[in-house]
Amino acid sequence: MTQTITSVLVANRGEIACRVFTTCQAMGLRTVAVYSDPDADAPHVRMADSAVALPGSTSAQTYLRPDKIIAAAQAAGADAIHPGYGFLSENAEFAQAVVDAGLVWIGPPAVAITAMGSKVNAKALMASAGVPVLTDIDPDAVTEADLPLLIKASAGGGGRGMRIVREVAELADAVAAARREAESAFGDPTVFCEPYIERGHHIEVQVMADDHGTVWAVGERECSIQRRHQKVIEEAPAPLVERIGPDMRERLYAAARLAVESIGYRGAGTVEFLADAGSAGSGKFFFLETNTRLQVEHPVTELTTGTDLVAWQIRVAEGEALPEREPVSAGHSIEVRLYAEDPANDWQPQSGTVTSIDLPASAHFEQLSRPGVRVDSGVADGSEISTFYDPMLAKVISWAPTRERAAAMLARALSDAKIHGVVTNRDMLVNTLRDETFLSGDTDTAYLDTVGLDVLSAPLASPEDVRVAAVAAALAQSAINRSTARTLGSLPSGWRNIASDYQVKRYTACGGAADGDEIVARYRFGNSGVELPDLPESTVVSVSSDEVVIATGGVTRRYTVSVSTERVSGAQTVNVDWPGASVAFARVPRYVDPAAQARPGSLLAPMPGSVIRVAVAEGDAVTAGQPLLWLEAMKMEHTISAPSDGVVSVLAVEPGRQLSVGDVLAVIAEPD
């Protein structure tokens, strides 16, 4: 049946909403956004033709409310709803409610979501069809022989609700935590267990099906590099499949087509497999799950096949038939997920204001006509990274004729990016793209542990680079001071008519392996130029309030400097960028407010979030490493443990308390 779509509401936020709007606008369709209170001024709201508020802050109050979203579509005159990914995208009841409301659902039928959206049901279907699957295990029947196990949420993906269990004694707590996380992220606490393959390759096949019996297998992707079971780097085609050959690819495609043909699927979806690294020579793989939606990593398939998957989602929803010939892949594409998180500090999620973001790009959300870099992002200058949602800033995707060139171009774009205001995983991504193991294509799910996070999260800027950057920051700030001076502004900074000591500015590094390290910048303006007593190999070429040019060892570099001041505290952050690296500093104040000093033994919140459980009370004796409380931040659960043996002399939080970074959680006193 043919249905004409004129206006599309995207039941989502951020990058994916912007991505869908881009295609809709290119197709001449009107667009409608929905937004929560924290997203009121978000880029996806500004990009849409109209927007409807969903009062509330949390996902449960807003983006997980089918009634509110359908009412918003009706109020705005939208005749179709695109779910994006995450939230309600794999919710069969929502899909059916959209259809029952007389709207077009841009996704698979509700019955297909029910059949494939449940990982348990999907595995049973594949097993009956003869596709190899990993056996489900009843949590109540687990023995030592079943370990290690992976607990997974049945209703969603993205690493939410996943836990690895290596000891039977850990099982009950892990299942309970997984259920809480799944309930928070998807509104469904159902979890299941399966054997955990330590060094597998995560391979997935993009599928697209219409109502006329045509099913496409639109290339495969490899997504093995993951942190906390959430993908970080994805690429197409899969290096493992390329290495083994076309036989493995055809078997993967056949299994993927079988999965969707057997249930009358329609629209875009992804069939995921786990290939055993120990059996890589034979191309052996196991069915994992089917995602009945568009995947985060769909751009690598778009760039290698020249196919707009969102456009085909809309065209199929209107009843159009797919051409019989499947798209053909060419070249290589790599995508990285740029997150507001600190890999060097146990992947701690970050929140705050993105004061500036500039990612070199050839295109935004669109196809590339030549080798280059595409950026898909729902974040702009001034965007707030909220504790309520996923902390992804952008997807940065390259395409080139070869994998090596795609990796080099992507690494260059990321290393030259200017991202101010929050700590990100940018340096880790660049180091990975330049790592020999990655470039060899041997990237299984244990890659991060094998290479070592300490190696991959090392800052792009060397200690010597940081010292030079600190001097550039100090000189630029001195130029700012002179430009705003009310009297004698033409005199050099720190000018005296007799010999004087060096001027000094102190900074602490923000984020990364050097987080909190103090750097002292000393300089003096003299008759022959700027003297740098701690950098004898460096010469200052020029100084302005936003750019300092310094030659070190005969090599000249331009350092771009920007200063931001926190409106409430007055604290200054100085960002220094140059080709290939950047550093953020916090200016150390000359005088410290005694009231801002934490009491000895204080345990501070390492991230913003909400307290969901507390396991101790004041007066309890605790041991080092003992869990004290649990925080929920960016839809993930984090355990806060005792840093040492002692007694809980102060407990400053309770379940439900909203926290900022640095808030006091408890005070652990000496045992005596």
Side-chain angles (χ1 to χ4, degrees), residues 201-204 220-222 238 240-241 252 271-273 275:
H201 285 254
H202 190 124
I203 310 294
E204 59 188 35
E220 87 284 345
R221 303 184 283 255
E222 182 154 350
L240 177 68
V241 178
L252 283 165
V271 187
E272 301 192 356
F273 302 91

Side-chain angles (χ1 to χ4, degrees), residues 597-662:
Q597 301 304 296
R599 178 176 172 180
S602 294
L603 185 62
L604 308 180
M607 65 193 77
S610 174
V611 179
I612 56 176
R613 288 178 63 207
V614 177
V616 295
E618 289 187 4
D620 286 356
V622 296
T623 58
Q626 177 181 336
L628 304 180
L629 53 94
W630 288 261
L631 305 180
E632 183 181 59
M634 276 70 170
K635 298 193 288 184
M636 300 289 281
E637 187 173 296
H638 306 268
T639 304
I640 305 298
S641 302
S644 60
D645 294 350
V647 175
V648 181
S649 62
V650 175
L651 183 62
V653 297
E654 67 283 334
R657 172 74 66 87
Q658 292 292 325
L659 301 170
S660 299
V661 174

Side-chain angles (χ1 to χ4, degrees), residues 456-476:
L456 296 174
S457 63
L460 297 178
S462 69
E464 178 65 18
D465 291 334
V466 173
R467 287 192 291 272
V468 175
V471 167
L475 293 175

